[in-house]
Short mmCIF file of all heavy atoms in Angstrom, two decimals:
data_model
loop_
_atom_site.label_atom_id
_atom_site.label_comp_id
_atom_site.label_asym_id
_atom_site.label_seq_id
_atom_site.Cartn_x
_atom_site.Cartn_y
_atom_site.Cartn_z
N GLY R 13 -42.19 -50.56 17.67
CA GLY R 13 -43.20 -49.53 17.40
C GLY R 13 -43.10 -48.96 16.00
O GLY R 13 -44.10 -48.83 15.30
N SER R 57 -23.19 -41.07 15.91
CA SER R 57 -23.82 -40.07 15.04
C SER R 57 -24.84 -40.67 14.07
O SER R 57 -25.79 -40.01 13.69
CB SER R 57 -22.76 -39.29 14.27
OG SER R 57 -21.94 -40.19 13.56
N ARG R 136 -24.02 -39.46 26.98
CA ARG R 136 -23.48 -38.92 28.24
C ARG R 136 -22.19 -39.66 28.63
O ARG R 136 -21.20 -39.07 29.03
CB ARG R 136 -24.54 -39.08 29.34
CG ARG R 136 -24.45 -38.07 30.46
CD ARG R 136 -25.61 -38.24 31.46
NE ARG R 136 -26.91 -38.20 30.83
CZ ARG R 136 -27.87 -39.10 30.98
NH1 ARG R 136 -27.69 -40.15 31.75
NH2 ARG R 136 -29.02 -39.00 30.35
N PRO R 145 -9.46 -36.56 30.19
CA PRO R 145 -8.14 -35.91 30.29
C PRO R 145 -8.17 -34.62 31.09
O PRO R 145 -7.11 -34.16 31.55
CB PRO R 145 -7.79 -35.62 28.82
CG PRO R 145 -8.60 -36.59 28.02
CD PRO R 145 -9.86 -36.81 28.80
N ALA R 183 -5.46 -36.17 23.79
CA ALA R 183 -5.03 -35.22 24.81
C ALA R 183 -3.52 -35.10 24.86
O ALA R 183 -2.98 -34.33 25.65
CB ALA R 183 -5.57 -35.66 26.18
N ARG R 212 -18.75 -69.32 25.49
CA ARG R 212 -18.06 -68.80 26.67
C ARG R 212 -16.53 -68.76 26.52
O ARG R 212 -15.89 -67.76 26.82
CB ARG R 212 -18.47 -69.61 27.91
CG ARG R 212 -18.70 -68.70 29.10
CD ARG R 212 -19.11 -69.49 30.30
NE ARG R 212 -20.47 -69.97 30.25
CZ ARG R 212 -20.87 -71.16 30.69
NH1 ARG R 212 -20.03 -72.04 31.19
NH2 ARG R 212 -22.13 -71.50 30.64
N GLY R 245 -15.63 -57.00 48.85
CA GLY R 245 -14.82 -56.09 49.66
C GLY R 245 -13.75 -55.39 48.84
O GLY R 245 -13.14 -54.43 49.30
N ASP R 342 -38.58 -69.79 13.10
CA ASP R 342 -37.99 -71.09 13.43
C ASP R 342 -36.48 -71.07 13.52
O ASP R 342 -35.83 -72.10 13.44
CB ASP R 342 -38.48 -72.16 12.43
CG ASP R 342 -38.01 -71.85 11.02
OD1 ASP R 342 -37.29 -70.85 10.82
OD2 ASP R 342 -38.37 -72.61 10.09
N TRP R 353 -11.13 -57.40 18.86
CA TRP R 353 -10.84 -58.83 18.71
C TRP R 353 -11.71 -59.44 17.61
O TRP R 353 -11.34 -60.42 16.97
CB TRP R 353 -11.12 -59.54 20.03
CG TRP R 353 -10.68 -60.98 20.06
CD1 TRP R 353 -9.44 -61.46 20.38
CD2 TRP R 353 -11.47 -62.13 19.75
NE1 TRP R 353 -9.41 -62.83 20.30
CE2 TRP R 353 -10.65 -63.28 19.91
CE3 TRP R 353 -12.80 -62.32 19.35
CZ2 TRP R 353 -11.12 -64.57 19.68
CZ3 TRP R 353 -13.27 -63.60 19.12
CH2 TRP R 353 -12.42 -64.71 19.29
#
Side-chain angles (χ1 to χ4, degrees):
S57 55
R136 207 176 306 128
R212 222 180 286 142
D342 63 2
W353 188 87

